[in-house]
Amino acid sequence: MSGSDPGKPVIQVKDLKKYYNGTDIKALDGVSMDIYKGEVVVIIGPSGSGKSTFLRSLNLLERPTSGTILFEGQDITSPKTDINKLRQKMGMVFQHFNLFPHMTILDNMTLGPRKLLSMTKPSAEAKAKELLKKVALEDRANAYPSQLSGGQKQRIAIVRALCMSPDVMLFDEPTSALDPEMVGEVLDVMKVLARSGMTMVVVTHEMGFAREVGTRVVFIDQGKILVSDTPDKVFENPDNERLKTFLAKVL
Amino acid sequence: MYYSSLLALELPEWLSDWLADIGDQFYLNFIKDQRYMYILKGLGITLLVTFLAVLLGIVLGVLAAIIRSTHDKLVTDMRGGFGKAVLSALNFITNLYLTVIRGTPVVVQLMIAYFVIFSSSNNKVLVAVLAFGFNSGAYVAEIIRSGIMSIDQGQFEAGRSLGFNFVQTMAYIIIPQAFKNVLPALANEFIVLLKETSVSGYIGLEDMTKGGDIIRSRTYSAFMPLLAVAAIYLVIVIFFSRLVTILERRLRNSERQ
């Protein structure tokens, strides 16, 4: 049951398929992937390729049409699984931050730990402040999200997810909605997180990040995994035609 | 000549006659036999019925809104079974309620409540509160639902991704924001309801309008009692409209810029 077993994958995806309601448009067309502890899997691909759908399936924000997803040994699509319990261990960061605008930064961060992990207010706040310090935003604890820049919001969104002490962090295009000058500060936080050993799955268009931080780069196109390899191999020596075309466009 | 016209605070005859007449009318309609009490007591009934009906309306409206938006959000994701059946049934009942209430006049609903459904009861205030409350609930439901729908889907997903279940996400994240967005519309519903209770006379409930009408039937003069009633409604509505304006400004000035 526990994810600390080093031999077993933390997330095990088998033959995942997703067809959009009634149509035969295949957002995911048989995707399988094992993700091990400490890995930083970076998913790249053209828009509409299914990479976000894949990521969102991992914590069941998107319900797959068929296939299985095991998280720490439990099938998350099974009706017997308490998906809310599992989601607590899978932090998620969104393209549009999705901070709660009616709460202060501190409340945004402590809501989950207090209500779901039964932490006391002081201990939840102590933990939140510690994390805020790590992203250099400890002075904004009592600000509201609308008072922050995009980059600051996304750093808060990351530490909000970390407050739940997740085993895995999922990033859905975390820098796509940011002004260019703010991309760096968010990627820096993600790099530090990766180096601390966090298991991460990142959908991104930041090829520099993929190359530098990723332990594995996965190229998805038309709902299928076409390439899954080390960053070196993917970026220096691509042998897949579609990947080559894609990289030629984005690099 | 000069002086006399300056000093002549004596008004022209028609004007002084008219003023004297107004005085008499005022006495006749409001003072004599303490007739102002009809209006004063009626005002009390009007406010009581409005407040209680608004409370009932908000409770019913929030319930109906949650059922409707839960259904819309969840039903495509559900795997069938008991939960789905219950939700679909609740949604059907809610839709029926909204359609019937919004598709028929409130006066007719009030009379059906008094003469048909609660024909054995003589508690007119209670019947009026129930009738207006159920009526208002249907409109409040759509206000709240639009508030819930106005919240970005990302808020919902953020809540769920932290591990909150559907109800917790609604309670901690969606409803507080939705409520804030629709507070002005809700306050407006209160104003509308206040005026709608003026048909309470149809079941013989002596609200403010009925009070003015009773005076009219006693004194055979319609002008004063009805204008007085209209003026009081107007003052109350202006007062609450101001409150709504202040509320809107406050909300705009709070954290969302």
Side-chain angles (χ1 to χ4, degrees), chain A residues 56 59 61 63 77-79 83-84 87-88 90 92 94 98-103 111-112 115-116 144 146-147 160-161 164, chain B residues 76-79 152-166 168 172-174 176-177 180 254-257:
Chain A
R56 290 159 54 80
N59 67 350
L61 284 184
R63 190 170 278 282
T77 57
S78 155
I83 185 63
N84 299 314
R87 278 180 180 145
Q88 293 175 13
M90 288 196 259
M92 181 146 191
F94 300 87
N98 297 342
L99 297 180
F100 307 134
H102 60 303
M103 294 179 192
L111 183 71
K115 304 285 184 190
L116 296 170
Y144 282 92
S146 63
Q147 296 165 321
R160 177 177 72 179
M164 295 294 290
Chain B
T76 51
D77 268 1
M78 285 176 113
R79 281 166 294 228
D152 184 55
Q153 179 68 12
Q155 291 290 310
F156 193 78
E157 290 183 350
R160 295 307 300 269
S161 77
L162 283 171
F164 288 111
N165 63 31
F166 181 85
Q168 290 169 321
Y172 299 136
I173 295 154
I174 307 296
Q177 293 184 62
K180 218 167 128 180
S254 69
E255 71 266 29
R256 53 180 68 221
Q257 271 122 18

Coordinates of all heavy atoms in Angstrom, one line a residue, chain A residues 56 59 61 63 77-79 83-84 87-88 90 92 94 98-103 111-112 115-116 144 146-147 160-161 164, chain B residues 76-79 152-166 168 172-174 176-177 180 254-257:
Chain A
R56 N -4.4 15.1 -16.1 CA -5.6 15.3 -15.3 C -6.3 13.9 -14.9 O -7.1 13.8 -14.0 CB -6.6 16.2 -16.0 CG -6.1 17.7 -16.0 CD -6.8 18.5 -17.1 NE -8.2 18.4 -17.0 CZ -8.9 19.1 -16.1 NH1 -8.3 20.0 -15.3 NH2 -10.2 19.0 -16.1
N59 N -5.2 12.2 -11.3 CA -5.9 12.3 -10.1 C -7.4 12.4 -10.3 O -8.2 12.9 -9.5 CB -5.4 13.6 -9.3 CG -5.7 14.9 -10.0 OD1 -6.1 14.9 -11.1 ND2 -5.5 16.0 -9.3
L61 N -9.3 14.0 -12.2 CA -10.1 15.2 -12.6 C -10.8 15.0 -13.9 O -11.8 15.6 -14.3 CB -9.2 16.5 -12.7 CG -8.8 17.1 -11.4 CD1 -8.0 18.4 -11.6 CD2 -10.0 17.4 -10.5
R63 N -12.1 11.7 -16.1 CA -12.4 10.2 -15.9 C -12.1 9.5 -17.2 O -12.8 9.8 -18.2 CB -13.9 10.0 -15.5 CG -14.2 8.6 -15.0 CD -15.6 8.5 -14.4 NE -15.6 9.0 -13.0 CZ -15.1 8.2 -12.0 NH1 -14.7 6.9 -12.3 NH2 -15.2 8.6 -10.8
T77 N -9.5 4.3 -10.3 CA -10.8 4.4 -11.0 C -11.8 3.4 -10.4 O -13.0 3.5 -10.7 CB -10.6 4.0 -12.5 OG1 -10.0 2.7 -12.5 CG2 -9.8 5.0 -13.2
S78 N -11.4 2.6 -9.4 CA -12.3 1.7 -8.8 C -13.3 2.4 -7.9 O -12.9 3.3 -7.2 CB -11.5 0.7 -8.0 OG -12.3 0.1 -7.0
P79 N -14.6 2.0 -7.9 CA -15.6 2.7 -7.1 C -15.3 2.5 -5.6 O -15.7 3.3 -4.8 CB -16.9 2.0 -7.5 CG -16.6 1.2 -8.7 CD -15.1 1.0 -8.8
I83 N -11.3 8.3 -3.6 CA -10.4 9.2 -4.4 C -10.0 10.5 -3.6 O -8.9 11.0 -3.8 CB -11.1 9.5 -5.7 CG1 -10.2 10.3 -6.7 CG2 -12.4 10.3 -5.5 CD1 -9.0 9.6 -7.1
N84 N -10.8 10.9 -2.7 CA -10.5 12.2 -2.0 C -9.2 11.9 -1.1 O -8.4 12.8 -1.0 CB -11.6 12.6 -1.1 CG -12.9 12.9 -2.0 OD1 -12.7 13.6 -3.0 ND2 -14.0 12.4 -1.6
R87 N -6.2 11.9 -3.5 CA -5.9 13.2 -4.0 C -5.1 14.0 -3.0 O -4.3 14.9 -3.4 CB -7.2 13.9 -4.4 CG -7.7 13.6 -5.8 CD -9.0 14.4 -6.0 NE -9.5 14.0 -7.3 CZ -10.8 14.0 -7.6 NH1 -11.7 14.3 -6.6 NH2 -11.3 13.7 -8.8
Q88 N -5.3 13.7 -1.7 CA -4.5 14.5 -0.7 C -3.0 14.2 -0.9 O -2.2 15.0 -0.5 CB -4.9 14.0 0.7 CG -6.4 14.4 1.0 CD -6.8 13.9 2.4 OE1 -6.0 13.4 3.2 NE2 -8.1 13.9 2.7
M90 N -1.6 13.7 -3.8 CA -1.2 14.1 -5.2 C -1.5 15.6 -5.3 O -2.6 16.0 -5.6 CB -2.0 13.4 -6.2 CG -1.6 11.9 -6.4 SD -2.3 11.3 -7.9 CE -3.7 10.4 -7.3
M92 N -1.6 19.2 -7.0 CA -1.7 19.6 -8.4 C -1.6 21.1 -8.5 O -2.1 21.9 -7.7 CB -3.1 19.2 -8.9 CG -3.3 19.5 -10.4 SD -4.2 18.3 -11.2 CE -4.0 18.7 -12.9
F94 N -2.1 24.2 -11.4 CA -2.8 24.5 -12.6 C -2.2 25.6 -13.4 O -1.5 26.5 -12.9 CB -4.3 24.8 -12.3 CG -5.0 23.8 -11.5 CD1 -5.0 23.7 -10.2 CD2 -5.8 22.8 -12.2 CE1 -5.6 22.7 -9.5 CE2 -6.4 21.8 -11.5 CZ -6.4 21.8 -10.2
N98 N -5.6 29.1 -9.9 CA -6.8 28.6 -9.1 C -6.6 28.8 -7.6 O -7.0 28.0 -6.8 CB -7.1 27.2 -9.4 CG -7.5 27.0 -10.9 OD1 -7.8 28.0 -11.6 ND2 -7.5 25.8 -11.3
L99 N -6.0 29.9 -7.2 CA -6.0 30.3 -5.8 C -7.4 30.7 -5.4 O -8.2 31.1 -6.3 CB -5.0 31.4 -5.5 CG -3.6 31.1 -5.8 CD1 -2.7 32.4 -5.5 CD2 -3.1 29.9 -5.0
F100 N -7.8 30.6 -4.2 CA -9.1 30.9 -3.7 C -9.2 32.4 -3.5 O -8.6 32.9 -2.5 CB -9.5 30.1 -2.5 CG -9.4 28.6 -2.7 CD1 -8.8 27.9 -1.7 CD2 -9.8 28.0 -3.9 CE1 -8.6 26.5 -1.9 CE2 -9.6 26.7 -4.1 CZ -9.0 25.9 -3.1
P101 N -9.9 33.2 -4.3 CA -9.8 34.6 -4.2 C -10.4 35.2 -2.9 O -10.1 36.4 -2.6 CB -10.5 35.1 -5.4 CG -11.4 34.0 -5.8 CD -10.8 32.8 -5.4
H102 N -11.2 34.5 -2.3 CA -11.9 35.0 -1.1 C -11.1 34.7 0.2 O -11.6 35.0 1.3 CB -13.3 34.5 -1.0 CG -13.4 33.0 -0.9 ND1 -12.8 32.1 -1.8 CD2 -14.0 32.2 0.1 CE1 -13.1 30.9 -1.4 NE2 -13.7 30.9 -0.3
M103 N -9.9 34.2 0.0 CA -9.1 33.9 1.2 C -7.8 34.5 1.1 O -7.2 34.6 0.0 CB -8.9 32.3 1.3 CG -10.2 31.6 1.6 SD -9.7 29.8 1.7 CE -11.4 29.1 1.6
L111 N -6.2 25.8 4.5 CA -7.5 25.2 4.5 C -7.5 23.7 4.4 O -8.1 23.0 5.2 CB -8.3 25.8 3.3 CG -9.7 25.3 3.1 CD1 -10.6 25.9 4.2 CD2 -10.3 25.6 1.8
G112 N -6.7 23.2 3.5 CA -6.6 21.7 3.3 C -6.0 21.0 4.5 O -6.7 20.1 5.1
K115 N -8.6 21.2 7.5 CA -9.9 20.5 7.3 C -9.7 19.0 7.0 O -10.6 18.2 7.3 CB -10.8 21.1 6.2 CG -11.0 22.6 6.4 CD -12.0 22.9 7.5 CE -12.3 24.4 7.6 NZ -13.1 24.7 8.8
L116 N -8.7 18.7 6.3 CA -8.5 17.3 5.8 C -7.5 16.5 6.6 O -7.6 15.3 6.7 CB -8.1 17.3 4.3 CG -9.1 17.9 3.4 CD1 -8.5 18.1 2.0 CD2 -10.4 17.0 3.3
Y144 N -4.3 39.1 -0.3 CA -5.2 38.3 -1.0 C -4.6 38.0 -2.4 O -3.8 38.7 -2.9 CB -6.5 39.0 -1.2 CG -7.4 39.0 0.1 CD1 -7.3 40.0 1.0 CD2 -8.3 37.9 0.3 CE1 -8.1 39.9 2.2 CE2 -9.0 37.8 1.4 CZ -8.9 38.8 2.4 OH -9.7 38.8 3.5
S146 N -5.5 38.5 -5.4 CA -5.6 39.5 -6.4 C -4.5 40.6 -6.2 O -4.2 41.4 -7.1 CB -6.9 40.2 -6.4 OG -7.1 40.9 -5.1
Q147 N -3.8 40.6 -5.0 CA -2.7 41.5 -4.8 C -1.4 41.0 -5.2 O -0.4 41.7 -5.0 CB -2.7 41.9 -3.3 CG -4.0 42.6 -2.9 CD -4.1 42.6 -1.4 OE1 -3.8 41.7 -0.7 NE2 -4.6 43.7 -0.9
R160 N 0.9 25.8 -1.7 CA -0.4 25.4 -1.2 C -0.5 23.9 -1.3 O -1.0 23.2 -0.4 CB -1.6 26.1 -1.9 CG -2.9 25.6 -1.5 CD -4.1 26.3 -2.1 NE -4.2 26.0 -3.5 CZ -5.2 26.5 -4.3 NH1 -6.0 27.4 -3.8 NH2 -5.3 26.1 -5.6
A161 N -0.2 23.4 -2.5 CA -0.2 21.9 -2.7 C 0.8 21.2 -1.8 O 0.4 20.1 -1.3 CB 0.1 21.6 -4.2
M164 N 0.0 20.0 1.9 CA -0.7 18.7 2.1 C 0.3 17.6 2.2 O -0.1 16.4 2.4 CB -1.7 18.4 1.0 CG -2.9 19.4 0.9 SD -3.9 19.3 2.4 CE -4.7 17.7 2.2
Chain B
T76 N -23.1 13.6 -15.4 CA -22.4 13.0 -16.5 C -21.2 12.1 -16.1 O -20.8 11.2 -16.7 CB -21.9 14.0 -17.5 OG1 -21.1 15.0 -16.8 CG2 -23.0 14.7 -18.3
D77 N -20.7 12.4 -14.9 CA -19.6 11.7 -14.4 C -19.9 10.5 -13.5 O -19.1 9.6 -13.2 CB -18.7 12.6 -13.5 CG -17.6 13.2 -14.3 OD1 -17.5 13.0 -15.5 OD2 -16.8 14.0 -13.7
M78 N -21.2 10.4 -13.2 CA -21.6 9.3 -12.2 C -21.8 8.0 -13.0 O -22.1 8.0 -14.1 CB -22.9 9.7 -11.5 CG -22.7 10.8 -10.5 SD -24.3 11.3 -9.7 CE -24.1 10.6 -8.1
R79 N -21.5 7.0 -12.2 CA -21.5 5.6 -12.9 C -22.9 5.0 -12.8 O -23.0 3.8 -12.9 CB -20.4 4.8 -12.2 CG -19.1 5.1 -12.7 CD -18.1 4.4 -11.8 NE -18.1 5.0 -10.4 CZ -17.0 5.4 -9.8 NH1 -15.8 5.2 -10.3 NH2 -17.1 6.0 -8.6
D152 N -15.4 30.1 -11.6 CA -14.6 29.4 -12.5 C -14.5 27.9 -12.2 O -14.3 27.6 -11.0 CB -13.2 30.0 -12.6 CG -12.3 29.4 -13.6 OD1 -12.7 29.3 -14.8 OD2 -11.2 29.0 -13.2
Q153 N -14.6 27.0 -13.2 CA -14.5 25.6 -12.9 C -13.1 25.3 -12.3 O -13.0 24.3 -11.5 CB -14.6 24.9 -14.3 CG -14.5 23.4 -14.3 CD -15.6 22.7 -13.5 OE1 -16.6 23.3 -13.3 NE2 -15.5 21.4 -13.2
G154 N -12.1 26.1 -12.5 CA -10.8 25.9 -11.9 C -10.8 25.9 -10.4 O -10.1 25.2 -9.7
Q155 N -11.7 26.7 -9.8 CA -11.9 26.8 -8.4 C -12.3 25.4 -7.8 O -11.9 24.9 -6.8 CB -12.9 27.9 -8.0 CG -12.4 29.3 -8.3 CD -11.3 29.7 -7.3 OE1 -11.5 29.5 -6.1 NE2 -10.2 30.2 -7.8
F156 N -13.3 24.9 -8.6 CA -13.8 23.6 -8.2 C -12.7 22.5 -8.3 O -12.6 21.7 -7.3 CB -15.0 23.2 -9.2 CG -15.8 22.1 -8.7 CD1 -16.7 22.3 -7.7 CD2 -15.6 20.9 -9.3 CE1 -17.5 21.2 -7.3 CE2 -16.4 19.8 -8.8 CZ -17.3 20.0 -7.9
E157 N -12.0 22.5 -9.4 CA -10.9 21.5 -9.6 C -9.8 21.7 -8.5 O -9.3 20.7 -8.0 CB -10.3 21.6 -11.0 CG -11.3 21.2 -12.0 CD -10.7 21.2 -13.4 OE1 -9.6 21.8 -13.6 OE2 -11.4 20.7 -14.3
A158 N -9.5 22.9 -8.2 CA -8.5 23.2 -7.2 C -8.9 22.6 -5.8 O -8.1 21.9 -5.1 CB -8.2 24.7 -7.0
G159 N -10.2 22.8 -5.5 CA -10.7 22.2 -4.2 C -10.6 20.7 -4.2 O -10.1 20.1 -3.3
R160 N -11.1 20.1 -5.3 CA -11.1 18.6 -5.4 C -9.7 18.1 -5.4 O -9.4 17.0 -4.9 CB -11.9 18.2 -6.7 CG -13.3 18.5 -6.8 CD -14.1 18.0 -5.6 NE -14.1 16.6 -5.3 CZ -15.0 15.7 -5.8 NH1 -15.9 16.1 -6.5 NH2 -14.9 14.4 -5.5
S161 N -8.8 18.8 -6.1 CA -7.4 18.3 -6.2 C -6.7 18.3 -4.9 O -5.8 17.5 -4.6 CB -6.6 19.0 -7.2 OG -6.2 20.3 -6.7
L162 N -7.1 19.2 -3.9 CA -6.5 19.1 -2.6 C -7.1 18.0 -1.8 O -6.5 17.6 -0.8 CB -6.9 20.4 -1.8 CG -6.1 21.7 -2.2 CD1 -6.7 22.9 -1.6 CD2 -4.6 21.5 -1.8
G163 N -8.2 17.4 -2.3 CA -8.7 16.2 -1.5 C -10.1 16.5 -0.9 O -10.6 15.6 -0.2
F164 N -10.6 17.7 -1.1 CA -12.0 17.9 -0.6 C -13.0 17.2 -1.4 O -12.8 17.0 -2.6 CB -12.3 19.4 -0.7 CG -11.5 20.3 0.3 CD1 -10.5 21.1 -0.1 CD2 -11.8 20.2 1.7 CE1 -9.8 21.9 0.8 CE2 -11.1 20.9 2.6 CZ -10.1 21.8 2.2
N165 N -14.0 16.7 -0.7 CA -15.1 16.0 -1.5 C -16.0 17.1 -2.1 O -15.8 18.3 -1.9 CB -15.8 15.0 -0.6 CG -16.6 15.7 0.6 OD1 -17.0 16.8 0.5 ND2 -16.7 14.9 1.7
F166 N -17.0 16.7 -2.8 CA -17.9 17.6 -3.5 C -18.6 18.6 -2.5 O -18.5 19.8 -2.7 CB -19.0 16.8 -4.2 CG -19.9 17.7 -5.0 CD1 -19.6 18.2 -6.3 CD2 -21.1 18.2 -4.4 CE1 -20.4 19.0 -7.0 CE2 -22.0 19.0 -5.1 CZ -21.6 19.4 -6.4
Q168 N -17.7 19.5 0.6 CA -16.7 20.4 1.2 C -16.3 21.5 0.2 O -16.1 22.6 0.6 CB -15.5 19.6 1.7 CG -15.7 18.7 2.9 CD -14.6 17.7 3.1 OE1 -14.0 17.2 2.2 NE2 -14.2 17.5 4.4
Y172 N -16.7 25.2 1.3 CA -15.6 26.1 1.7 C -15.2 27.0 0.6 O -14.7 28.1 0.8 CB -14.4 25.3 2.1 CG -14.5 24.4 3.2 CD1 -14.1 23.0 3.2 CD2 -15.2 24.8 4.4 CE1 -14.2 22.2 4.3 CE2 -15.3 24.0 5.5 CZ -14.9 22.7 5.4 OH -15.0 21.8 6.5
I173 N -15.4 26.6 -0.7 CA -14.8 27.4 -1.8 C -15.9 28.0 -2.7 O -15.8 29.2 -3.0 CB -13.9 26.4 -2.6 CG1 -12.7 26.0 -1.7 CG2 -13.3 27.1 -3.8 CD1 -12.1 24.7 -2.0
I174 N -16.9 27.2 -3.1 CA -17.8 27.7 -4.2 C -18.8 28.6 -3.6 O -19.0 29.8 -4.0 CB -18.4 26.5 -5.0 CG1 -17.3 25.6 -5.5 CG2 -19.3 27.1 -6.1 CD1 -16.4 26.2 -6.5
P176 N -19.2 30.3 -0.7 CA -18.9 31.7 -0.2 C -18.6 32.7 -1.4 O -19.1 33.8 -1.3 CB -17.6 31.4 0.5 CG -17.6 30.0 0.9 CD -18.3 29.3 -0.2
Q177 N -18.0 32.2 -2.4 CA -17.7 33.1 -3.6 C -19.0 33.4 -4.3 O -19.3 34.6 -4.7 CB -16.7 32.5 -4.5 CG -15.3 32.4 -4.0 CD -14.4 31.8 -5.0 OE1 -14.1 32.5 -6.0 NE2 -13.8 30.7 -4.8
K180 N -21.3 35.9 -2.4 CA -20.8 37.2 -2.5 C -21.2 37.9 -3.8 O -21.6 39.0 -3.9 CB -19.3 37.2 -2.3 CG -18.8 38.3 -1.5 CD -17.3 38.0 -1.2 CE -16.5 39.2 -1.6 NZ -15.1 39.0 -1.3
S254 N -13.6 45.2 -1.9 CA -12.9 44.1 -1.2 C -11.8 43.5 -2.1 O -11.4 44.0 -3.1 CB -13.9 43.1 -0.6 OG -14.4 42.3 -1.6
E255 N -11.4 42.3 -1.7 CA -10.1 41.8 -2.3 C -10.0 41.7 -3.8 O -9.0 41.8 -4.3 CB -9.8 40.4 -1.7 CG -10.7 39.3 -2.1 CD -11.8 39.1 -1.2 OE1 -12.2 40.1 -0.5 OE2 -12.3 38.0 -1.1
R256 N -11.2 41.6 -4.5 CA -11.1 41.4 -5.9 C -11.0 42.8 -6.6 O -11.9 43.6 -6.4 CB -12.2 40.6 -6.5 CG -13.6 41.1 -6.1 CD -14.6 40.2 -6.8 NE -14.6 38.8 -6.2 CZ -14.7 37.7 -6.9 NH1 -14.8 37.8 -8.2 NH2 -14.7 36.6 -6.4
Q257 N -9.9 43.1 -7.2 CA -9.8 44.4 -7.8 C -9.8 44.4 -9.3 O -9.4 43.4 -9.9 CB -8.4 45.1 -7.4 CG -8.6 45.9 -6.1 CD -7.6 45.3 -5.1 OE1 -6.7 44.7 -5.4 NE2 -7.8 45.6 -3.9

